[in-house]
Amino acid sequence: MISLKTQEEVELLRENNILVSKTLAEVGKHIKPGITTLALDKIAEEYIRSHGAIPGFLGYGGFPATLCVSVNEQIVHGIPSKYELKEGDIVSVDCGTFMKGFYGDSAYTFAVGEIDSRVAELLKVTKEALFKGAAMAVAGNRIGDISYAVQTHAESYGFSVVRELIGHGLGRDMHEKPDVPNYGVRGRGPLLKEGMVICIEPMINMGTRNVVFEKDGWTVRTADRKPSAHFEYAVAVKKGKPDILTTFEFIEN
Ligand code: MG
Ligand code: MG
């Protein structure tokens, strides 16, 4: 069952995702060499709680933190730790909130200081792939149109698309139907209807698309230990054009 949201519910999802967007920006201000990923987690938790929400990930399926913080070859679901960021790292910060009965869920990959130019290209292309996917989130299209747009953009630069982890519907649950893969065939998959709210979250690898699930039970990394990038938007499907509930404006401006 794919739940369709009323406009009122979409506004509550927007409130959550704007708070996530602002939390990511707050975290981003502190991303520099020497800070631990655990310190970033505390900043996010405090920010979310001081804005009337609770962290959406903390305790979700037993996850132990507010943020998923995934550095370099870590793709997603990294657990905040005593690891100190260093110049040249990239760090995916994935954040969730829960407020007024709904969830927010968005992610951004930050560069720590100066990074390698091919890694910078990975970040740029992954974000572009997200934008191209999100542009397809229009009533009358199909999930496969989003998937295809993401995959073709990433692969045209020689990068690879993770298969084991995908986007999802968002609402009163963090993970709802439909599945939103980052690979697929145009014109296939569930029909997009006004009122559907989905998270589109390309996870794009520099090398192989293959992944390893770490023994900590959470962290997913690239099999070849080359870097991976991750950006995530929550999007409400509309007629004519998508209604993007997340913004990276607070981070980038
Ligand atoms: Mg997320
Ligand atoms: Mg998500």
mmCIF file with all atom_site columns, all heavy atoms in Angstrom, residues 203-214:
data_model
loop_
_atom_site.group_PDB
_atom_site.id
_atom_site.type_symbol
_atom_site.label_atom_id
_atom_site.label_alt_id
_atom_site.label_comp_id
_atom_site.label_asym_id
_atom_site.label_entity_id
_atom_site.label_seq_id
_atom_site.pdbx_PDB_ins_code
_atom_site.Cartn_x
_atom_site.Cartn_y
_atom_site.Cartn_z
_atom_site.occupancy
_atom_site.B_iso_or_equiv
_atom_site.pdbx_formal_charge
_atom_site.auth_seq_id
_atom_site.auth_comp_id
_atom_site.auth_asym_id
_atom_site.auth_atom_id
_atom_site.pdbx_PDB_model_num
ATOM 1  N N   . MET A 1 203 ? 23.201 6.635  -3.753  1.00 0.00 ? 203 MET A N   1
ATOM 2  C CA  . MET A 1 203 ? 24.456 6.254  -3.113  1.00 0.00 ? 203 MET A CA  1
ATOM 3  C C   . MET A 1 203 ? 25.370 5.816  -4.247  1.00 0.00 ? 203 MET A C   1
ATOM 4  O O   . MET A 1 203 ? 25.110 4.800  -4.897  1.00 0.00 ? 203 MET A O   1
ATOM 5  C CB  . MET A 1 203 ? 24.219 5.099  -2.133  1.00 0.00 ? 203 MET A CB  1
ATOM 6  C CG  . MET A 1 203 ? 23.474 5.545  -0.877  1.00 0.00 ? 203 MET A CG  1
ATOM 7  S SD  . MET A 1 203 ? 22.504 4.212  -0.143  1.00 0.00 ? 203 MET A SD  1
ATOM 8  C CE  . MET A 1 203 ? 20.853 4.640  -0.734  1.00 0.00 ? 203 MET A CE  1
ATOM 9  N N   . ILE A 1 204 ? 26.378 6.633  -4.534  1.00 0.00 ? 204 ILE A N   1
ATOM 10 C CA  . ILE A 1 204 ? 27.167 6.470  -5.754  1.00 0.00 ? 204 ILE A CA  1
ATOM 11 C C   . ILE A 1 204 ? 28.631 6.234  -5.366  1.00 0.00 ? 204 ILE A C   1
ATOM 12 O O   . ILE A 1 204 ? 29.197 6.990  -4.572  1.00 0.00 ? 204 ILE A O   1
ATOM 13 C CB  . ILE A 1 204 ? 27.027 7.720  -6.650  1.00 0.00 ? 204 ILE A CB  1
ATOM 14 C CG1 . ILE A 1 204 ? 25.550 8.051  -6.929  1.00 0.00 ? 204 ILE A CG1 1
ATOM 15 C CG2 . ILE A 1 204 ? 27.817 7.539  -7.940  1.00 0.00 ? 204 ILE A CG2 1
ATOM 16 C CD1 . ILE A 1 204 ? 24.766 6.991  -7.665  1.00 0.00 ? 204 ILE A CD1 1
ATOM 17 N N   . ASN A 1 205 ? 29.189 5.192  -5.957  1.00 0.00 ? 205 ASN A N   1
ATOM 18 C CA  . ASN A 1 205 ? 30.561 4.784  -5.615  1.00 0.00 ? 205 ASN A CA  1
ATOM 19 C C   . ASN A 1 205 ? 31.545 5.179  -6.716  1.00 0.00 ? 205 ASN A C   1
ATOM 20 O O   . ASN A 1 205 ? 31.216 5.135  -7.903  1.00 0.00 ? 205 ASN A O   1
ATOM 21 C CB  . ASN A 1 205 ? 30.638 3.264  -5.436  1.00 0.00 ? 205 ASN A CB  1
ATOM 22 C CG  . ASN A 1 205 ? 29.802 2.770  -4.266  1.00 0.00 ? 205 ASN A CG  1
ATOM 23 O OD1 . ASN A 1 205 ? 29.286 3.567  -3.475  1.00 0.00 ? 205 ASN A OD1 1
ATOM 24 N ND2 . ASN A 1 205 ? 29.668 1.453  -4.161  1.00 0.00 ? 205 ASN A ND2 1
ATOM 25 N N   . MET A 1 206 ? 32.765 5.480  -6.267  1.00 0.00 ? 206 MET A N   1
ATOM 26 C CA  . MET A 1 206 ? 33.800 5.813  -7.230  1.00 0.00 ? 206 MET A CA  1
ATOM 27 C C   . MET A 1 206 ? 34.274 4.580  -7.981  1.00 0.00 ? 206 MET A C   1
ATOM 28 O O   . MET A 1 206 ? 34.563 4.643  -9.178  1.00 0.00 ? 206 MET A O   1
ATOM 29 C CB  . MET A 1 206 ? 34.974 6.461  -6.522  1.00 0.00 ? 206 MET A CB  1
ATOM 30 C CG  . MET A 1 206 ? 36.077 6.815  -7.468  1.00 0.00 ? 206 MET A CG  1
ATOM 31 S SD  . MET A 1 206 ? 37.300 7.839  -6.697  1.00 0.00 ? 206 MET A SD  1
ATOM 32 C CE  . MET A 1 206 ? 36.446 9.318  -6.599  1.00 0.00 ? 206 MET A CE  1
ATOM 33 N N   . GLY A 1 207 ? 34.367 3.442  -7.292  1.00 0.00 ? 207 GLY A N   1
ATOM 34 C CA  . GLY A 1 207 ? 34.834 2.208  -7.913  1.00 0.00 ? 207 GLY A CA  1
ATOM 35 C C   . GLY A 1 207 ? 33.694 1.219  -8.097  1.00 0.00 ? 207 GLY A C   1
ATOM 36 O O   . GLY A 1 207 ? 32.666 1.544  -8.689  1.00 0.00 ? 207 GLY A O   1
ATOM 37 N N   . THR A 1 208 ? 33.900 0.031  -7.561  1.00 0.00 ? 208 THR A N   1
ATOM 38 C CA  . THR A 1 208 ? 32.888 -1.017 -7.711  1.00 0.00 ? 208 THR A CA  1
ATOM 39 C C   . THR A 1 208 ? 31.580 -0.637 -7.014  1.00 0.00 ? 208 THR A C   1
ATOM 40 O O   . THR A 1 208 ? 31.588 0.072  -6.009  1.00 0.00 ? 208 THR A O   1
ATOM 41 C CB  . THR A 1 208 ? 33.393 -2.351 -7.116  1.00 0.00 ? 208 THR A CB  1
ATOM 42 O OG1 . THR A 1 208 ? 32.345 -3.337 -7.252  1.00 0.00 ? 208 THR A OG1 1
ATOM 43 C CG2 . THR A 1 208 ? 33.707 -2.239 -5.637  1.00 0.00 ? 208 THR A CG2 1
ATOM 44 N N   . ARG A 1 209 ? 30.462 -1.177 -7.553  1.00 0.00 ? 209 ARG A N   1
ATOM 45 C CA  . ARG A 1 209 ? 29.183 -0.940 -6.882  1.00 0.00 ? 209 ARG A CA  1
ATOM 46 C C   . ARG A 1 209 ? 28.977 -1.888 -5.704  1.00 0.00 ? 209 ARG A C   1
ATOM 47 O O   . ARG A 1 209 ? 28.056 -1.710 -4.913  1.00 0.00 ? 209 ARG A O   1
ATOM 48 C CB  . ARG A 1 209 ? 28.037 -1.090 -7.868  1.00 0.00 ? 209 ARG A CB  1
ATOM 49 C CG  . ARG A 1 209 ? 27.773 -2.501 -8.372  1.00 0.00 ? 209 ARG A CG  1
ATOM 50 C CD  . ARG A 1 209 ? 26.504 -2.492 -9.235  1.00 0.00 ? 209 ARG A CD  1
ATOM 51 N NE  . ARG A 1 209 ? 26.222 -3.753 -9.884  1.00 0.00 ? 209 ARG A NE  1
ATOM 52 C CZ  . ARG A 1 209 ? 25.590 -4.773 -9.315  1.00 0.00 ? 209 ARG A CZ  1
ATOM 53 N NH1 . ARG A 1 209 ? 25.206 -4.706 -8.047  1.00 0.00 ? 209 ARG A NH1 1
ATOM 54 N NH2 . ARG A 1 209 ? 25.349 -5.873 -10.008 1.00 0.00 ? 209 ARG A NH2 1
ATOM 55 N N   . ASN A 1 210 ? 29.840 -2.883 -5.581  1.00 0.00 ? 210 ASN A N   1
ATOM 56 C CA  . ASN A 1 210 ? 29.645 -3.901 -4.545  1.00 0.00 ? 210 ASN A CA  1
ATOM 57 C C   . ASN A 1 210 ? 29.905 -3.352 -3.155  1.00 0.00 ? 210 ASN A C   1
ATOM 58 O O   . ASN A 1 210 ? 30.768 -2.495 -2.962  1.00 0.00 ? 210 ASN A O   1
ATOM 59 C CB  . ASN A 1 210 ? 30.540 -5.107 -4.801  1.00 0.00 ? 210 ASN A CB  1
ATOM 60 C CG  . ASN A 1 210 ? 30.175 -5.807 -6.105  1.00 0.00 ? 210 ASN A CG  1
ATOM 61 O OD1 . ASN A 1 210 ? 29.000 -5.848 -6.474  1.00 0.00 ? 210 ASN A OD1 1
ATOM 62 N ND2 . ASN A 1 210 ? 31.168 -6.320 -6.815  1.00 0.00 ? 210 ASN A ND2 1
ATOM 63 N N   . VAL A 1 211 ? 29.165 -3.870 -2.195  1.00 0.00 ? 211 VAL A N   1
ATOM 64 C CA  . VAL A 1 211 ? 29.227 -3.353 -0.827  1.00 0.00 ? 211 VAL A CA  1
ATOM 65 C C   . VAL A 1 211 ? 29.544 -4.476 0.157   1.00 0.00 ? 211 VAL A C   1
ATOM 66 O O   . VAL A 1 211 ? 29.388 -5.656 -0.148  1.00 0.00 ? 211 VAL A O   1
ATOM 67 C CB  . VAL A 1 211 ? 27.894 -2.686 -0.411  1.00 0.00 ? 211 VAL A CB  1
ATOM 68 C CG1 . VAL A 1 211 ? 27.422 -1.706 -1.485  1.00 0.00 ? 211 VAL A CG1 1
ATOM 69 C CG2 . VAL A 1 211 ? 26.806 -3.713 -0.119  1.00 0.00 ? 211 VAL A CG2 1
ATOM 70 N N   . VAL A 1 212 ? 29.980 -4.044 1.340   1.00 0.00 ? 212 VAL A N   1
ATOM 71 C CA  . VAL A 1 212 ? 30.207 -4.970 2.457   1.00 0.00 ? 212 VAL A CA  1
ATOM 72 C C   . VAL A 1 212 ? 29.421 -4.434 3.655   1.00 0.00 ? 212 VAL A C   1
ATOM 73 O O   . VAL A 1 212 ? 29.464 -3.233 3.929   1.00 0.00 ? 212 VAL A O   1
ATOM 74 C CB  . VAL A 1 212 ? 31.720 -5.030 2.800   1.00 0.00 ? 212 VAL A CB  1
ATOM 75 C CG1 . VAL A 1 212 ? 31.942 -5.758 4.121   1.00 0.00 ? 212 VAL A CG1 1
ATOM 76 C CG2 . VAL A 1 212 ? 32.501 -5.696 1.677   1.00 0.00 ? 212 VAL A CG2 1
ATOM 77 N N   . PHE A 1 213 ? 28.699 -5.328 4.319   1.00 0.00 ? 213 PHE A N   1
ATOM 78 C CA  . PHE A 1 213 ? 28.005 -4.960 5.551   1.00 0.00 ? 213 PHE A CA  1
ATOM 79 C C   . PHE A 1 213 ? 28.944 -5.261 6.717   1.00 0.00 ? 213 PHE A C   1
ATOM 80 O O   . PHE A 1 213 ? 29.325 -6.415 6.926   1.00 0.00 ? 213 PHE A O   1
ATOM 81 C CB  . PHE A 1 213 ? 26.695 -5.748 5.684   1.00 0.00 ? 213 PHE A CB  1
ATOM 82 C CG  . PHE A 1 213 ? 25.661 -5.331 4.667   1.00 0.00 ? 213 PHE A CG  1
ATOM 83 C CD1 . PHE A 1 213 ? 25.678 -5.846 3.373   1.00 0.00 ? 213 PHE A CD1 1
ATOM 84 C CD2 . PHE A 1 213 ? 24.673 -4.411 4.989   1.00 0.00 ? 213 PHE A CD2 1
ATOM 85 C CE1 . PHE A 1 213 ? 24.738 -5.458 2.418   1.00 0.00 ? 213 PHE A CE1 1
ATOM 86 C CE2 . PHE A 1 213 ? 23.727 -4.012 4.047   1.00 0.00 ? 213 PHE A CE2 1
ATOM 87 C CZ  . PHE A 1 213 ? 23.755 -4.536 2.757   1.00 0.00 ? 213 PHE A CZ  1
ATOM 88 N N   . GLU A 1 214 ? 29.327 -4.205 7.445   1.00 0.00 ? 214 GLU A N   1
ATOM 89 C CA  . GLU A 1 214 ? 30.313 -4.370 8.516   1.00 0.00 ? 214 GLU A CA  1
ATOM 90 C C   . GLU A 1 214 ? 29.722 -5.129 9.707   1.00 0.00 ? 214 GLU A C   1
ATOM 91 O O   . GLU A 1 214 ? 28.511 -5.172 9.902   1.00 0.00 ? 214 GLU A O   1
ATOM 92 C CB  . GLU A 1 214 ? 30.815 -3.002 8.991   1.00 0.00 ? 214 GLU A CB  1
ATOM 93 C CG  . GLU A 1 214 ? 31.566 -2.201 7.932   1.00 0.00 ? 214 GLU A CG  1
ATOM 94 C CD  . GLU A 1 214 ? 33.030 -2.617 7.769   1.00 0.00 ? 214 GLU A CD  1
ATOM 95 O OE1 . GLU A 1 214 ? 33.377 -3.779 8.084   1.00 0.00 ? 214 GLU A OE1 1
ATOM 96 O OE2 . GLU A 1 214 ? 33.812 -1.768 7.308   1.00 0.00 ? 214 GLU A OE2 1
#
